[in-house]
Amino acid sequence: MGANTFGDIFTVTTCGESHGKALACIIDNCPPGVTISVDDIQKDLDRRRPGSTRFGTPRNEADAVQILSGVFEGKTTGTPIGLMIENTSQRSQDYADIMNSFRPGHADYTYLVKYGIRDYRGGGRASARETAMRVAAGAVAKAVLAQLFGVHVSGCVTAIGTISTDKYDPKAALENPFNFADGSPEMLQQLEAYIDQIRQEHDSCGAVVEVRAHGVPVGTGSPIFARLDATIAHAMMSINAVKGVEIGDGFAMAAMRGTQARDLMSHEGFASNHSGGILGGIATGQDIRVRMAFKPTSSILSPGASVDKFGHDIPELVTKGRHDPCVGIRAVPIAEAMLALTILDAIMLDRAQCGSVDRAQLYHIPV
Amino acid sequence: MGANTFGDIFTVTTCGESHGKALACIIDNCPPGVTISVDDIQKDLDRRRPGSTRFGTPRNEADAVQILSGVFEGKTTGTPIGLMIENTSQRSQDYADIMNSFRPGHADYTYLVKYGIRDYRGGGRASARETAMRVAAGAVAKAVLAQLFGVHVSGCVTAIGTISTDKYDPKAALENPFNFADGSPEMLQQLEAYIDQIRQEHDSCGAVVEVRAHGVPVGTGSPIFARLDATIAHAMMSINAVKGVEIGDGFAMAAMRGTQARDLMSHEGFASNHSGGILGGIATGQDIRVRMAFKPTSSILSPGASVDKFGHDIPELVTKGRHDPCVGIRAVPIAEAMLALTILDAIMLDRAQCGSVDRAQLYHIPV
Amino acid sequence: MGANTFGDIFTVTTCGESHGKALACIIDNCPPGVTISVDDIQKDLDRRRPGSTRFGTPRNEADAVQILSGVFEGKTTGTPIGLMIENTSQRSQDYADIMNSFRPGHADYTYLVKYGIRDYRGGGRASARETAMRVAAGAVAKAVLAQLFGVHVSGCVTAIGTISTDKYDPKAALENPFNFADGSPEMLQQLEAYIDQIRQEHDSCGAVVEVRAHGVPVGTGSPIFARLDATIAHAMMSINAVKGVEIGDGFAMAAMRGTQARDLMSHEGFASNHSGGILGGIATGQDIRVRMAFKPTSSILSPGASVDKFGHDIPELVTKGRHDPCVGIRAVPIAEAMLALTILDAIMLDRAQCGSVDRAQLYHIPV
Amino acid sequence: MGANTFGDIFTVTTCGESHGKALACIIDNCPPGVTISVDDIQKDLDRRRPGSTRFGTPRNEADAVQILSGVFEGKTTGTPIGLMIENTSQRSQDYADIMNSFRPGHADYTYLVKYGIRDYRGGGRASARETAMRVAAGAVAKAVLAQLFGVHVSGCVTAIGTISTDKYDPKAALENPFNFADGSPEMLQQLEAYIDQIRQEHDSCGAVVEVRAHGVPVGTGSPIFARLDATIAHAMMSINAVKGVEIGDGFAMAAMRGTQARDLMSHEGFASNHSGGILGGIATGQDIRVRMAFKPTSSILSPGASVDKFGHDIPELVTKGRHDPCVGIRAVPIAEAMLALTILDAIMLDRAQCGSVDRAQLYHIPV
């Protein structure tokens, strides 16, 4: 399968470099009859778009999406959906001086050795700009999930650098510039001071993002290699800068006892959701809970030692350009998109295989 | 793609239930000319096999593997390799009384709703016994990696419940019954007491396993959805009981600064390996480092509240059978196998796409 | 995807050489709850089995299939189905003298150059014996098609060498040793004389096989690369010795006029079925009609010029062993199996994508 | 896999309707470092483009291709290549009166039942206009094949309706308006009269197209389901209007004797090429020969009986619009493209699996 395709049935294939002509994607096997508009897609793109707040990069990319095909009179037709965003706000000259050098923490070196050639402008294909098409495709997946299957995904940032919260409040997150799960004035003030300091120090910080899916039908997902948690982990770890993924209580479960970790059941439902809504790779019907760690932005103004493609040391390489101090902040719609794509694909595979199972006849634990 | 197939080029397809006739797998697109014997495979299977120490389950399964096809005169022929392990030590009667009930923390409920039918004996397909075929296939992948590409994988347990270590010593791990990275007498004594206590309390505990790959050629892996870290996360999270996966410094990077997290470079090599050997989804040539969290064994003798498939509460369900107090201990060869399969698949895709790139001409950062 | 896997959703992966330990296959994503038994599978295997009539090879292979997994109490469980046939009637010594030489019309040469090694015994993986697992998997697909979707496949031989018929009578075919569509005494006498003569002349002949599917729901299949006719062509051309595939009127349509070739419609149905039941890659609801050409058996006793792997000419190579004078005769269940696999996969993809389309509301042309 | 994706490694995913905004495709896993320009692609597109001769449709579509990504400074970078053709010459009003009716021989009916909705303008996705993106992607594949592997594909029309030739002369075909293999003045005069008559009679005719690949390395292709002949058959049958595919001598082999059909060998090479350059699904190194039958254009001005989506009969439906009397004529670059895509994908899989086989050490039969 193409390295730029995600999904087995509801597939998304993307292309595009940071400073090329356009980003594009093709969504295949989309269910027909689903209402979708440019506005639906643009709404999520605008959440990812740089330039919206002073806590992100000052680049202002319009990211205006066009629907090339697959939608007729406002509805999906079942034929492949082409989406395109033309690149407009490129300042390629920022990158001329890194043509031959490898920025630390970036993929410059690995791309060059892999391919023997690279489009160095703005990171080329390795730029997080690529994720715009994931968000666009995810918006289509969200529409299908909502209209046909009653599934909704949400997300928020739960940690920025050393500041974290136990809250999960996607509505609050929509209303603060950090997409943070705790939107209290005290917290926002604290975050603002923290980010300002990091920026002044020409540094950056990591983040934790949590996403959830509500309404996923029990039975979604398949055991073994197509486990829903495995494909979710794949989806999340494929996002730039993600270095860890957890389902449910995740790493904390390593230190738990079995008596603590198992979710007890009764005719009234599950007593807890340590498992994050997945057992044996299959959804339980509870909320699916996923957390992921973003590493700090690698593009920082603080100089760092590097080397160029001729083997010459560069003791103080500086990455110019306009960059986010914390890439995790704008990542919420990306993570939501990947969760939506993963779950929709699993629902469609489940329908393919088990569409003749009469689940209405089977006992369901309330959720 | 089949839910029981892993890999895009070097593919492994498995089948088999815990208490069925046999487990089997078919390995496809295996490079020809690689030396492989039943003994090579059996060696890894024996590391996973229950019954070897008193700190695991007392089940004694022979797990004797047979090669059905694809190997001729001791070498792979390029045709698909069939492997089979016949089931011999089943005590199905242990499970008759859970035919209709859902064990907490198990996939009984989700399987039943998904398929409308389930082989309840020993967990059926959801049993960790399934992983035997992963280990068998992984042994073949390890042979290919070692003989054709100079890649070696290793692994050890780095945490059992609340006891953890910073060490990583796979050789030591091979010589202690916990596969633990720290094999000092003090540590082993501590672990022994800990496990004994857990067992006496009819409880279980989680674990952390770390695996590494050494010698992975720079350039292995593909950007975007086939990122090497993404496929590794997929591989690891597809193992029973795994709830979290990290690459390199993983979740700890969320709280780091960019100046700490980036791996500086010079003509002498990388100054650190926070990234875990992967940048932009592509191997840097450094060791690939992966950690994963196992939840505590769900099958424990302590009674727990549940419900049956008729909706009747079962306030004190007990899971009989012979179970490991900590499933992570025997998981090391499984995690190694999944890492080997993932990396080999990526190497083969890289060769397919970039086999004409003259990498010898390109500058390589020493590792 | 593995070269030995067929299908995107209902996948079949096979392994096994002619003279190895066993043939096996794994069927994945099979719908659960379908009744299947060893006998159901064996019935089709026995139709393919050599040795049943004097018009085939005198090899008598038991071809006894075992179900390794995925079936519980007589029903499919949705987990992968492992099937195995142990090899019992091998006479490997027949092949020792072709260890280094390339039989004309065989894959000996291409296998050796491709893999650098080959299991030369009985053609190894290139033997038509491999198709036994297709028949076994096809029997499972037929059961799913019949029980869940009301689809039935059939087939017969319509030409043997220079003798052909316009008839299509699968029932008659079941009752004559040539699987021939015309079972009249005159025809059978003619065929018997023809085959006897060919055998006496140490020669072989080709054949044409036709297979049909009845009851395929309109809407099955997808446009463009997953067209139902394209996947059927793939399926049929993947059978050993097939050199041509036609859908509907096939090659004859090249010489037709548009006014002849189009299938007119009215509220009473289609006036004809030149298209073979597929328009735009999607089933019309009419019978799907497929014809394929088998080349003559390459293994014949008449000596032929060849060369060995050292480049030495062998002016008079003779292929010993027990061979069919016309491989097409036993190919009917193989072609049926491939048609069943293809259609089931397409039905499952259609259900995945279009399961929410309310087709009962749409006008259907009667068939 | 997406229904609009072709290939396992070198994948092409297309989208776009006849009268939508644009056609697009994404090529993935393309080898890096290959020289490619808009002109290279446009050259093949112009061969497919309607309006070039009076023997095709008078529509004049510019079909101007744009490269969106994946090419940097004139070379492929290994990242996905986006291609786009904006639609410019649509006359949608031609189609308003077939909004609710089903044109005979077209996919109108099957699309509507499958999806419950269809873009009826110009056939929407079912229009042969879709094949433009195949040609564009094929041009990239041809460049890779030529530059990295020394493989060249060619093609010509060998039959138009009842007029056929035994010749195969792709150069001559490039210089006559019928892409015909025999470009003699007598033949062209005959064809001109034939097509003129068909057009006057408001009718259409079928065609046979032959394509060949020269220089395909022995060893290309895989046995069983990924047989090179099987994937070629898939590729060709996926082209609109193709109803039959043959490899080598194809259907004629059904009536041959084994002594005639086998290609004898000596140290001087193969004595013949009945097999069409493939044995056991693997290339022999000889030319690969493929023939395919195109049905007559279904869109003709002669009225035909049909029915509409309400079940009302339409005794005399006329398909307006500007149509080719023989779709096969413009199909040569499409068939070449599909052959190029198929062979490149197989070469890349072969390199992935068998890249470590030292073929230079093995004996090769001269070709």
Side-chain angles (χ1 to χ4, degrees):
Chain A
M1 193 165 71
N4 297 273
T5 292
F6 187 79
D8 278 331
I9 297 182
F10 187 93
T11 61
V12 176
T13 305
T14 73
C15 69
E17 280 87 33
S18 175
H19 287 60
K21 201 161 196 170
L23 306 171
C25 83
I26 298 177
I27 300 169
D28 205 350
N29 293 338
C30 184
V34 173
T35 302
I36 191 81
S37 70
V38 162
D39 284 355
D40 295 330
I41 303 171
Q42 196 65 51
K43 210 175 57 185
D44 265 5
L45 282 169
D46 289 347
R47 292 172 60 207
R48 193 209 75 94
R49 191 167 60 82
S52 45
T53 84
R54 75 177 182 88
F55 301 103
T57 160
R59 288 197 312 275
N60 198 320
E61 295 164 1
D63 277 3
V65 72
Q66 301 176 52
I67 299 176
L68 302 181
S69 67
V71 177
F72 183 60
E73 299 180 345
K75 284 189 189 297
T76 59
T77 61
T79 61
I81 300 172
L83 302 175
M84 183 176 64
I85 295 172
E86 289 180 276
N87 284 328
T88 53
S89 164
Q90 304 105 334
R91 293 191 355 202
S92 304
Q93 67 279 19
D94 281 349
Y95 299 95
D97 54 352
I98 55 148
M99 188 167 74
N100 297 321
S101 56
F102 307 133
R103 293 167 298 165
H106 278 279
D108 301 337
Y109 169 62
T110 53
Y111 265 66
L112 187 59
V113 176
K114 181 174 184 64
Y115 299 119
I117 180 177
R118 77 186 170 101
D119 179 351
Y120 52 81
R121 301 166 303 165
R125 183 69 178 149
S127 164
R129 181 150 177 71
E130 160 264 321
T131 57
M133 292 321 303
R134 304 185 186 213
V135 172
V140 177
K142 284 176 181 178
V144 178
L145 283 171
Q147 293 175 42
L148 300 187
F149 304 108
V151 174
H152 297 273
V153 302
S154 61
C156 41
V157 177
T158 60
I160 290 180
T162 53
I163 303 173
S164 66
T165 178
D166 286 338
K167 293 200 173 145
Y168 180 82
D169 187 342
K171 273 192 192 142
L174 281 173
E175 319 228 318
N176 72 66
F178 306 102
N179 294 319
F180 207 70
D182 176 352
S184 65
E186 307 75 48
M187 181 55 90
L188 297 182
Q189 218 166 359
Q190 199 184 340
L191 287 168
E192 196 172 324
Y194 183 76
I195 294 278
D196 279 343
Q197 191 191 348
I198 280 172
R199 199 196 292 275
Q200 280 160 25
E201 295 174 4
H202 289 175
D203 213 333
S204 61
C205 69
V208 175
V209 168
E210 179 163 347
V211 287
R212 297 189 185 180
H214 181 74
V216 180
V218 54
T220 302
S222 295
I224 318 301
F225 302 120
R227 293 167 82 97
L228 189 53
D229 31 7
T231 51
I232 288 172
H234 188 146
M236 297 308 156
M237 200 72 99
S238 80
I239 299 173
N240 297 35
V242 171
K243 300 301 288 183
V245 181
E246 306 184 306
I247 308 290
D249 287 358
F251 273 89
M253 293 182 97
M256 282 186 189
R257 292 290 190 93
T259 42
Q260 297 172 285
R262 61 185 176 176
D263 300 310
L264 299 179
M265 296 172 266
S266 77
H267 76 280
E268 292 185 323
F270 288 94
S272 53
N273 186 10
H274 298 291
S275 76
I278 301 174
L279 284 173
I282 303 169
T284 63
Q286 295 170 284
D287 278 8
I288 290 177
R289 298 192 295 118
V290 187
R291 293 170 77 246
M292 74 211 72
F294 286 82
K295 69 174 184 180
T297 315
S298 299
S299 298
I300 49 180
L301 292 172
S302 295
S306 191
V307 67
D308 69 16
K309 72 180 188 186
F310 312 107
H312 304 137
D313 282 346
I314 308 173
E316 297 230 325
L317 184 73
V318 175
T319 305
K320 287 189 244 168
R322 302 153 293 172
H323 303 288
D324 286 302
C326 175
V327 291
I329 294 175
R330 290 201 286 127
V332 175
I334 306 168
E336 286 176 19
M338 293 311 298
L339 187 61
L341 292 172
T342 307
I343 288 173
L344 177 53
D345 197 44
I347 287 177
M348 289 174 73
L349 176 56
D350 179 54
R351 182 154 81 170
Q353 183 184 13
C354 300
S356 302
V357 175
D358 187 357
R359 290 193 183 147
Q361 297 280 38
L362 300 166
Y363 174 71
H364 282 57
I365 297 175
V367 288
Chain B
M1 194 164 72
N4 297 274
T5 293
F6 187 80
D8 278 331
I9 297 183
F10 187 92
T11 61
V12 176
T13 305
T14 72
C15 69
E17 280 86 34
S18 174
H19 287 59
K21 199 160 196 171
L23 306 171
C25 83
I26 298 176
I27 300 168
D28 204 352
N29 293 338
C30 184
V34 173
T35 302
I36 190 81
S37 70
V38 161
D39 284 353
D40 295 330
I41 304 172
Q42 196 64 51
K43 208 175 58 186
D44 267 4
L45 282 169
D46 288 347
R47 291 172 61 207
R48 193 210 75 94
R49 191 167 60 82
S52 44
T53 84
R54 74 177 183 88
F55 301 103
T57 159
R59 287 198 313 275
N60 199 317
E61 296 164 359
D63 278 4
V65 72
Q66 301 176 54
I67 299 177
L68 302 181
S69 66
V71 177
F72 183 61
E73 299 180 345
K75 286 189 188 296
T76 59
T77 60
T79 61
I81 300 171
L83 302 176
M84 182 175 65
I85 295 172
E86 289 180 274
N87 284 327
T88 54
S89 164
Q90 304 106 335
R91 292 192 353 204
S92 303
Q93 66 279 21
D94 281 349
Y95 299 96
D97 54 352
I98 55 148
M99 188 168 75
N100 297 321
S101 56
F102 307 134
R103 293 168 297 165
H106 277 278
D108 301 337
Y109 168 62
T110 54
Y111 265 67
L112 187 60
V113 176
K114 181 173 185 64
Y115 299 118
I117 179 177
R118 78 185 170 101
D119 179 350
Y120 52 82
R121 300 166 304 165
R125 183 70 178 150
S127 164
R129 181 150 179 70
E130 161 263 321
T131 58
M133 293 320 305
R134 305 186 185 212
V135 172
V140 177
K142 284 176 180 177
V144 178
L145 283 171
Q147 293 175 40
L148 300 187
F149 304 108
V151 175
H152 296 272
V153 302
S154 61
C156 41
V157 178
T158 60
I160 291 180
T162 53
I163 304 172
S164 66
T165 179
D166 286 338
K167 294 201 174 144
Y168 181 82
D169 187 343
K171 272 192 194 142
L174 281 174
E175 319 228 320
N176 72 67
F178 307 101
N179 295 319
F180 207 70
D182 175 353
S184 65
E186 307 75 48
M187 181 55 90
L188 296 183
Q189 216 166 2
Q190 199 184 341
L191 288 167
E192 195 171 325
Y194 183 75
I195 294 277
D196 278 343
Q197 190 190 350
I198 280 172
R199 199 196 292 274
Q200 279 160 27
E201 295 175 4
H202 289 176
D203 214 334
S204 61
C205 69
V208 175
V209 168
E210 179 162 348
V211 287
R212 298 189 185 179
H214 181 74
V216 179
V218 54
T220 302
S222 295
I224 319 301
F225 302 121
R227 294 167 81 96
L228 189 53
D229 31 6
T231 50
I232 289 172
H234 187 144
M236 296 308 156
M237 200 71 99
S238 80
I239 299 172
N240 296 36
V242 171
K243 300 302 288 184
V245 181
E246 310 184 304
I247 307 291
D249 287 358
F251 273 89
M253 294 182 97
M256 282 187 189
R257 292 289 191 91
T259 42
Q260 298 171 282
R262 61 184 175 177
D263 299 311
L264 299 178
M265 296 171 267
S266 77
H267 77 279
E268 291 185 323
F270 288 94
S272 53
N273 186 10
H274 299 291
S275 75
I278 301 174
L279 284 173
I282 303 169
T284 63
Q286 295 172 282
D287 278 7
I288 290 177
R289 296 193 298 117
V290 187
R291 291 170 78 248
M292 74 212 72
F294 286 82
K295 70 174 184 180
T297 315
S298 299
S299 298
I300 48 179
L301 291 173
S302 295
S306 190
V307 67
D308 69 17
K309 71 180 187 185
F310 312 107
H312 303 137
D313 283 346
I314 308 174
E316 299 230 325
L317 185 72
V318 175
T319 305
K320 286 188 244 167
R322 302 152 292 170
H323 303 288
D324 286 301
C326 175
V327 291
I329 294 175
R330 289 201 288 129
V332 175
I334 306 168
E336 287 175 18
M338 294 311 298
L339 187 61
L341 293 172
T342 307
I343 288 172
L344 177 53
D345 197 44
I347 287 177
M348 289 175 74
L349 176 56
D350 180 54
R351 182 154 81 170
Q353 183 184 13
C354 300
S356 302
V357 175
D358 186 358
R359 290 194 184 145
Q361 297 281 38
L362 300 166
Y363 175 71
H364 282 56
I365 297 175
V367 289
Chain C
M1 194 164 71
N4 297 273
T5 291
F6 188 80
D8 277 332
I9 297 182
F10 187 93
T11 61
V12 176
T13 305
T14 72
C15 69
E17 281 86 33
S18 174
H19 287 59
K21 199 160 194 170
L23 306 172
C25 82
I26 298 176
I27 300 169
D28 205 350
N29 293 338
C30 183
V34 173
T35 302
I36 190 82
S37 69
V38 162
D39 285 352
D40 296 329
I41 303 172
Q42 197 64 52
K43 210 176 57 186
D44 266 4
L45 282 169
D46 288 347
R47 291 172 61 207
R48 193 210 75 94
R49 190 167 60 81
S52 44
T53 83
R54 74 176 182 91
F55 302 102
T57 160
R59 287 197 313 276
N60 199 317
E61 296 164 358
D63 277 4
V65 71
Q66 300 177 53
I67 299 176
L68 301 180
S69 67
V71 177
F72 183 59
E73 299 180 345
K75 285 188 188 296
T76 60
T77 61
T79 61
I81 300 171
L83 302 176
M84 182 176 64
I85 295 172
E86 289 180 274
N87 284 327
T88 53
S89 165
Q90 303 107 335
R91 294 195 348 208
S92 304
Q93 68 278 19
D94 281 348
Y95 299 96
D97 54 353
I98 55 151
M99 188 169 75
N100 297 322
S101 56
F102 307 134
R103 292 167 298 164
H106 278 278
D108 301 336
Y109 169 62
T110 53
Y111 265 66
L112 187 60
V113 176
K114 182 174 185 64
Y115 299 119
I117 179 177
R118 76 186 171 101
D119 179 350
Y120 53 81
R121 301 166 304 165
R125 183 70 178 149
S127 164
R129 181 149 179 72
E130 160 263 320
T131 58
M133 293 320 305
R134 305 186 185 211
V135 172
V140 176
K142 284 176 179 177
V144 178
L145 284 171
Q147 292 174 42
L148 299 187
F149 303 108
V151 175
H152 296 273
V153 301
S154 61
C156 40
V157 177
T158 60
I160 290 179
T162 52
I163 304 173
S164 67
T165 178
D166 287 338
K167 294 201 174 144
Y168 181 81
D169 187 342
K171 272 192 193 142
L174 281 174
E175 319 227 319
N176 71 67
F178 306 101
N179 294 318
F180 207 70
D182 175 353
S184 65
E186 306 76 47
M187 181 55 91
L188 297 183
Q189 217 168 359
Q190 199 185 338
L191 288 168
E192 195 172 324
Y194 183 76
I195 294 277
D196 277 344
Q197 190 192 349
I198 280 172
R199 200 196 291 274
Q200 279 161 25
E201 295 175 4
H202 289 177
D203 213 335
S204 61
C205 68
V208 175
V209 168
E210 179 161 347
V211 286
R212 298 189 184 179
H214 182 75
V216 179
V218 53
T220 302
S222 294
I224 319 301
F225 302 121
R227 294 166 80 97
L228 189 53
D229 30 8
T231 50
I232 289 172
H234 188 145
M236 297 308 156
M237 200 71 98
S238 80
I239 299 172
N240 297 38
V242 171
K243 300 302 289 184
V245 181
E246 310 184 303
I247 307 291
D249 287 358
F251 273 89
M253 294 182 96
M256 282 187 189
R257 293 289 192 92
T259 41
Q260 297 171 283
R262 61 185 175 176
D263 299 310
L264 300 179
M265 295 171 268
S266 77
H267 77 280
E268 291 185 324
F270 288 95
S272 53
N273 187 9
H274 298 293
S275 76
I278 301 173
L279 284 173
I282 303 169
T284 63
Q286 297 171 282
D287 277 8
I288 290 177
R289 297 193 296 117
V290 187
R291 292 169 79 245
M292 74 211 71
F294 286 82
K295 69 174 183 180
T297 315
S298 298
S299 298
I300 48 179
L301 292 173
S302 295
S306 191
V307 65
D308 69 16
K309 73 180 186 185
F310 311 107
H312 302 137
D313 283 346
I314 309 174
E316 299 231 324
L317 185 73
V318 175
T319 305
K320 286 190 244 168
R322 300 152 295 170
H323 304 288
D324 286 301
C326 175
V327 290
I329 294 176
R330 291 201 286 129
V332 174
I334 305 167
E336 286 176 19
M338 294 310 298
L339 187 62
L341 293 172
T342 307
I343 288 173
L344 178 53
D345 197 44
I347 286 177
M348 290 174 73
L349 176 56
D350 180 54
R351 182 153 83 170
Q353 183 184 14
C354 300
S356 302
V357 175
D358 187 358
R359 290 194 184 146
Q361 297 280 38
L362 300 166
Y363 174 70
H364 282 56
I365 297 175
V367 289
Chain D
M1 191 164 73
N4 298 272
T5 292
F6 187 80
D8 277 332
I9 297 182
F10 187 92
T11 61
V12 176
T13 304
T14 72
C15 69
E17 281 87 34
S18 174
H19 288 59
K21 201 161 195 169
L23 306 171
C25 83
I26 298 176
I27 299 169
D28 205 351
N29 293 339
C30 183
V34 173
T35 302
I36 190 82
S37 69
V38 162
D39 285 352
D40 295 330
I41 303 172
Q42 196 64 52
K43 209 175 58 185
D44 266 4
L45 282 169
D46 289 347
R47 290 172 62 207
R48 193 210 75 94
R49 191 167 60 82
S52 45
T53 83
R54 73 176 184 88
F55 303 103
T57 160
R59 289 197 314 275
N60 199 319
E61 296 164 359
D63 277 3
V65 71
Q66 301 176 52
I67 299 176
L68 302 181
S69 67
V71 177
F72 183 60
E73 299 180 344
K75 285 188 189 296
T76 59
T77 61
T79 61
I81 300 172
L83 303 175
M84 183 176 64
I85 296 172
E86 289 180 276
N87 284 327
T88 54
S89 165
Q90 304 105 337
R91 293 192 353 204
S92 304
Q93 67 278 19
D94 281 349
Y95 299 96
D97 54 353
I98 55 148
M99 188 167 74
N100 297 321
S101 56
F102 306 133
R103 292 168 298 164
H106 277 278
D108 301 337
Y109 169 63
T110 53
Y111 265 67
L112 187 60
V113 175
K114 181 173 185 64
Y115 299 119
I117 179 177
R118 75 185 172 102
D119 179 350
Y120 52 83
R121 301 166 303 165
R125 183 69 177 150
S127 164
R129 180 150 179 71
E130 160 263 321
T131 57
M133 293 320 304
R134 304 186 186 211
V135 172
V140 177
K142 283 175 180 177
V144 178
L145 283 172
Q147 293 174 42
L148 299 187
F149 303 107
V151 175
H152 297 272
V153 301
S154 60
C156 41
V157 178
T158 59
I160 291 179
T162 52
I163 303 172
S164 66
T165 178
D166 286 339
K167 294 199 173 146
Y168 180 81
D169 188 342
K171 273 194 191 139
L174 280 174
E175 318 229 318
N176 71 67
F178 306 101
N179 294 319
F180 207 70
D182 175 353
S184 65
E186 307 75 46
M187 180 55 91
L188 296 182
Q189 217 167 359
Q190 199 185 338
L191 287 168
E192 195 172 325
Y194 183 76
I195 293 278
D196 278 343
Q197 191 191 348
I198 280 172
R199 199 195 292 273
Q200 279 160 26
E201 294 175 5
H202 289 175
D203 213 335
S204 61
C205 68
V208 175
V209 168
E210 179 162 346
V211 286
R212 297 189 185 179
H214 182 75
V216 179
V218 53
T220 302
S222 294
I224 319 300
F225 302 122
R227 294 167 81 97
L228 189 53
D229 31 7
T231 52
I232 289 172
H234 188 145
M236 297 307 156
M237 200 72 99
S238 80
I239 300 173
N240 297 37
V242 172
K243 300 301 289 183
V245 181
E246 307 183 306
I247 307 290
D249 287 358
F251 273 90
M253 294 182 96
M256 282 186 189
R257 292 289 190 93
T259 42
Q260 296 172 283
R262 60 184 176 177
D263 299 310
L264 300 179
M265 296 172 266
S266 77
H267 76 280
E268 292 185 323
F270 288 94
S272 53
N273 186 10
H274 298 293
S275 75
I278 301 173
L279 284 173
I282 303 168
T284 62
Q286 296 172 282
D287 278 7
I288 290 177
R289 298 193 295 119
V290 187
R291 292 169 77 246
M292 74 212 72
F294 286 82
K295 70 174 183 179
T297 316
S298 298
S299 297
I300 49 179
L301 292 173
S302 296
S306 191
V307 66
D308 70 15
K309 72 179 187 185
F310 311 108
H312 303 137
D313 283 346
I314 308 172
E316 299 230 324
L317 185 73
V318 174
T319 305
K320 287 189 245 171
R322 300 153 294 172
H323 303 289
D324 286 303
C326 175
V327 291
I329 294 174
R330 290 201 288 127
V332 174
I334 306 167
E336 286 176 19
M338 294 310 299
L339 187 61
L341 293 172
T342 307
I343 287 172
L344 178 53
D345 197 44
I347 286 177
M348 289 174 73
L349 176 56
D350 180 55
R351 183 155 81 170
Q353 184 184 12
C354 300
S356 303
V357 175
D358 187 358
R359 291 195 183 145
Q361 297 281 37
L362 300 166
Y363 174 71
H364 282 57
I365 297 175
V367 287

